[in-house]
């Protein structure tokens, strides 16, 4: 099931998407009466054309976006880093989240802005000290993320809060897929239609059970929190005017354009 958050006349709504278009530009959405992440939702009977709605970020994390760094060996190597011995965790604020087709703002503080396409986990239940064998009980579904990074600030600051945390640095979408085997999905990124990244979730250094068990060993995850699982090799710079599209097999495609703030 594909669950979207969308707006019509600026009013956020939720619905189940029916489409063969990976970006959801065509097809229909069956409207729900509430956010199914937080309560049992029912169909209202209203059906809208996707062309007539604006897809939003499918979830606004209640508290945080938790990210795994260097979770592909080839990506660690391309930046000259060692493979971590345990999951490398950092946070992005929920104010960094934007939706499909929203603009990624190129900050004046950086000269080296990078894309990083990733699989994202949407948490559905409060969890702490989660055993690996119970991970599936707390996952609501999966979406696509772009872990936008100011690479020069990441190097100069010595920690990643600013480099990863600017407003607009966490595009999510186009919807949440709730029934998906993510053990071996293709994760790819294109910049202006040119292939840049091409990896598979089977190449994770730390798989999803390991990641969620590790994260919840020191912090509580809340419903609506999002976990980014790491990016394949092939990251690189993007400039104002560029369009970046991240695609994940079985989910769809998340596209955003890089802009400068007015």
């Amino acid at each position: 099931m594909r669950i979207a958050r969308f707006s019509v006349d600026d009013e956020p709504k939720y619905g189940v998407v029916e489409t063969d278009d990976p970006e959801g530009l065509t097809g229909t959405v069956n409207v729900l009466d509430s956010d199914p992440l937080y309560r049992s939702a029912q169909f209202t009977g209203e059906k809208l054309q996707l062309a007539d709605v604006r897809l939003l970020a499918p979830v606004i994390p209640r508290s945080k976006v938790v990210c795994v760094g260097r979770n592909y060996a080839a990506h660690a190597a391309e930046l000259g880093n060692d493979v971590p011995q345990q999951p490398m965790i950092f946070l992005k604020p929920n104010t960094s989240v934007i939706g499909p087709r929203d603009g990624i703002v190129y900050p004046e503080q950086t000269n080296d802005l990078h894309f990083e396409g990733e699989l994202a986990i949407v948490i559905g239940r409060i969890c702490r000290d989660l055993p690996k064998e119970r991970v599936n009980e707390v996952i609501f579904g999966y979406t696509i993320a772009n872990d936008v990074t100011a690479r020069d600030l990441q190097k100069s600051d010595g920690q990643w809060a600013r480099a990863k945390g600017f407003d607009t640095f966490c595009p999510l979408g186009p919807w949440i897929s709730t029934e998906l085997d993510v053990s071996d999905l293709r994760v790819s990124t294109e910049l202006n239609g040119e292939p840049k990244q091409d990896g598979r979730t089977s190449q994770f250094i730390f798989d999803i059970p390991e990641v969620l068990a590790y994260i919840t060993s020191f912090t509580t995850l809340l419903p609506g929190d999002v976990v980014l699982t790491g990016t394949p090799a092939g990251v690189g710079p993007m400039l104002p005017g560029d369009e970046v599209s991240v695609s994940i097999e079985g989910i769809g495609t998340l596209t955003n354009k890089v802009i400068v703030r007015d």
Side-chain angles (χ1 to χ4, degrees):
M1 184 180 296
R2 296 168 170 171
I3 297 176
R5 179 172 167 264
F6 64 94
S7 66
V8 180
D9 298 326
D10 294 326
E11 180 185 354
K13 295 184 177 182
Y14 298 85
V16 175
V17 170
E18 296 178 0
T19 184
D20 294 324
D21 182 346
E23 294 191 66
L25 301 178
T26 61
T28 61
V29 56
N30 296 282
V31 181
L32 297 168
D33 63 1
S34 62
D35 183 351
L37 183 60
Y38 296 108
R39 54 177 262 186
S40 179
Q42 305 296 323
F43 289 109
T44 66
E46 183 181 12
K47 180 178 283 192
L48 302 173
Q49 296 297 312
L50 283 170
D52 296 330
V53 309
R54 178 190 172 201
L55 289 176
L56 306 173
V59 61
I60 299 297
R62 179 178 288 182
S63 65
K64 55 193 173 294
V65 180
V66 187
C67 309
V68 185
R70 302 174 190 167
N71 203 22
Y72 287 78
H75 170 58
E78 74 178 341
L79 297 181
N81 297 309
D82 295 331
V83 172
Q85 298 303 304
Q86 58 187 9
M88 178 179 289
I89 304 300
F90 61 93
L91 302 178
K92 291 170 99 72
N94 57 11
T95 49
S96 67
V97 171
I98 58 173
R101 298 284 168 182
D102 288 341
I104 299 168
V105 176
Y106 200 114
E108 62 181 14
Q109 295 94 327
T110 182
N111 293 303
D112 194 16
L113 191 68
H114 281 212
F115 55 82
E116 295 189 8
E118 308 195 11
L119 175 71
I121 306 164
V122 180
I123 299 299
R125 292 175 55 187
I126 189 168
C127 50
R128 176 70 200 270
D129 294 322
L130 183 67
K132 294 179 185 178
E133 60 272 15
R134 298 188 62 184
V135 160
N136 288 336
E137 297 177 21
V138 307
I139 296 175
F140 180 76
Y142 302 89
T143 190
I144 302 171
N146 186 349
D147 176 20
V148 178
T149 304
R151 195 69 71 196
D152 48 354
L153 302 183
Q154 185 183 27
K155 294 175 182 176
S156 65
D157 286 0
Q159 48 78 28
W160 300 358
R162 185 167 65 132
K164 301 275 193 176
F166 279 92
D167 291 355
T168 77
F169 272 27
C170 189
L172 297 175
W175 41 65
I176 299 169
S177 293
T178 60
E179 301 167 8
L180 190 64
D181 179 359
V182 298
S183 59
D184 186 29
L185 299 180
R186 185 184 184 196
V187 180
S188 59
T189 303
E190 293 184 352
L191 186 70
N192 300 323
E194 181 181 350
K196 293 293 184 180
Q197 293 184 279
D198 196 352
R200 304 195 69 87
T201 56
S202 56
Q203 298 169 330
F204 286 155
I205 298 169
F206 305 102
D207 63 17
I208 289 173
E210 289 178 284
V211 164
L212 292 187
Y214 183 81
I215 292 170
T216 61
S217 71
F218 65 86
T219 190
T220 299
L221 291 175
L222 302 179
D225 282 351
V226 175
V227 177
L228 274 55
T229 57
T231 195
V235 300
M238 43 187 188
L239 297 170
D242 285 346
E243 187 173 81
V244 58
S245 295
V246 183
S247 298
I248 298 182
E249 184 180 3
I251 302 179
T253 299
L254 170 66
T255 296
N256 299 89
K257 195 167 188 175
V258 183
I259 64 173
V260 291
R261 191 180 302 278
D262 294 335

